[in-house]
Amino acid sequence: MKLRCQSVGEIDSRSGALGGGADLGPRRNRLYQTSTMAALLDAVYDGETTLDELLMHGNFGLGTFNALDGEMIVNDSVIHQFRADGQAGRVPGSLKTPFACVTFFQPEKEYVIDTPCDKEGFEEIVNRLVDNPNLFAAVRFTGLFEKVETRTVFCQCHPYPPMLEVVSRQPTMQLGSSSGTMLGFRTPPYMQGVNVAGYHLHFLTEDGRRGGHVTDYRVKQGRLEVGIISDVEIQLPRTEQFAKANLTPENIHEAIRVAEGG
Ligand SMILES: [Zn+2]
């Protein structure tokens, strides 16, 4: 039986001030992306953008690190790295990323979830809050989870194997009852390959020790915040690897579904 989420209140905070009084100007809810998902699938695992540079474009987001060395989550300007060996923590700003998406997050809609719901129910709520399927959305849920399933990619050595080989060996983690933050993006279908069409979410426990790329979950209760993104900047690599990559493979939809665990 599927449980549905119920709202106890919805706040349109579009006109409200951003927490902390920060004036982020025109960059609010503008997506900044390095490279493309298709490039990552084709083993372009080394990028040129440092984490310090990434933070100049956003304080919220997700991605991975050069050599595919773990999953990245950016929350309130802090970048966390979750490695396949279980190590977690903050990272030096000189590290680089081959694929990341960040934004200066300003919630435009807030919603209190007080009835447990699964992935499908959660996505339904966000889709209702952002009723334009052709725009991106930044999504953050903070609260209690009944379960979270995550995976973390392995650091790779040259010659790099394709992403689908990597994910077939990836370690997964199952967390039961826990509290933390799940955040990421909803990407419109026509951007498949450039990004991940649909929902791409990463998770961070409240103590910052565990997390990764989310493959499944049930939220229990907490606060959902959503920002609508209509402004997108994509930084494409000038590397030889990117120049040689096949970015229009025939099986792109299936490859991304398998790679992202959706
Ligand atoms: Zn991910």
Side-chain angles (χ1 to χ4, degrees):
M1 190 184 81
K2 274 179 194 154
L3 289 170
R4 296 282 173 192
C5 288
Q6 287 177 355
S7 163
V8 296
E10 182 182 327
I11 309 152
D12 188 338
S13 61
R14 205 169 316 187
S15 57
L18 187 64
D23 179 11
L24 300 173
R27 294 186 299 176
R28 287 174 296 186
N29 292 337
R30 183 184 73 172
L31 178 67
Y32 173 84
Q33 178 181 331
T34 60
S35 191
T36 71
M37 186 60 208
L40 203 62
L41 281 174
D42 204 33
V44 183
Y45 300 150
D46 290 324
E48 302 163 306
T49 308
T50 67
L51 303 187
D52 280 340
E53 286 164 356
L54 193 65
L55 287 175
M56 292 169 67
H57 298 279
N59 59 4
F60 165 110
L62 49 74
T64 185
F65 301 88
N66 272 15
L68 221 55
D69 191 13
E71 305 286 342
M72 176 198 298
I73 183 168
V74 187
N75 194 23
D76 293 332
S77 296
V78 178
I79 299 182
H80 301 259
Q81 180 181 27
F82 296 101
R83 294 173 130 157
D85 62 6
Q87 289 182 51
R90 296 190 185 184
V91 282
S94 57
L95 268 190
K96 292 179 177 177
T97 174
F99 179 79
C101 305
V102 293
T103 188
F104 285 104
F105 183 51
Q106 181 171 26
E108 293 176 50
K109 301 277 181 81
E110 294 186 11
Y111 189 93
V112 174
I113 293 176
D114 71 342
T115 304
C117 68
D118 59 12
K119 184 176 173 177
E120 191 185 36
F122 182 86
E123 292 181 359
E124 227 175 77
I125 294 175
V126 178
N127 290 342
R128 231 171 37 228
L129 294 174
V130 185
D131 60 1
N132 183 337
N134 292 326
L135 292 179
F136 286 80
V139 179
R140 178 165 67 189
F141 175 81
T142 310
L144 301 173
F145 294 77
E146 290 188 347
K147 71 160 188 181
V148 187
E149 291 178 20
T150 61
R151 72 106 208 267
T152 306
V153 283
F154 274 114
C155 188
Q156 299 299 310
C157 300
H158 285 285
Y160 286 151
M163 180 100 177
L164 290 186
E165 260 178 54
V166 176
V167 298
S168 66
R169 302 189 301 267
Q170 68 193 350
T172 56
M173 178 181 80
Q174 314 250 349
L175 275 179
S177 183
S178 53
S179 66
T181 299
M182 179 173 73
L183 65 80
F185 299 95
R186 188 196 72 178
T187 294
Y190 61 87
M191 293 298 278
Q192 181 76 305
V194 174
N195 205 307
V196 179
Y199 286 83
H200 184 188
L201 301 168
H202 285 192
F203 176 71
L204 171 72
T205 54
E206 197 176 5
D207 64 10
R209 291 186 174 179
R210 305 184 79 176
H213 170 97
V214 174
T215 51
D216 198 16
Y217 56 89
R218 273 182 67 82
V219 301
K220 190 174 182 187
Q221 62 180 67
R223 184 168 58 133
L224 168 64
E225 300 163 291
V226 180
I228 298 163
I229 294 173
S230 53
D231 193 3
V232 178
E233 179 180 349
I234 303 174
Q235 179 84 50
L236 297 174
R238 296 189 178 208
T239 60
E240 193 185 342
Q241 259 192 320
F242 186 77
K244 290 180 173 169
N246 174 12
L247 304 183
T248 51
E250 278 179 19
N251 63 343
I252 187 83
H253 290 284
E254 177 62 8
I256 289 179
R257 192 189 64 75
V258 173
E260 297 303 307

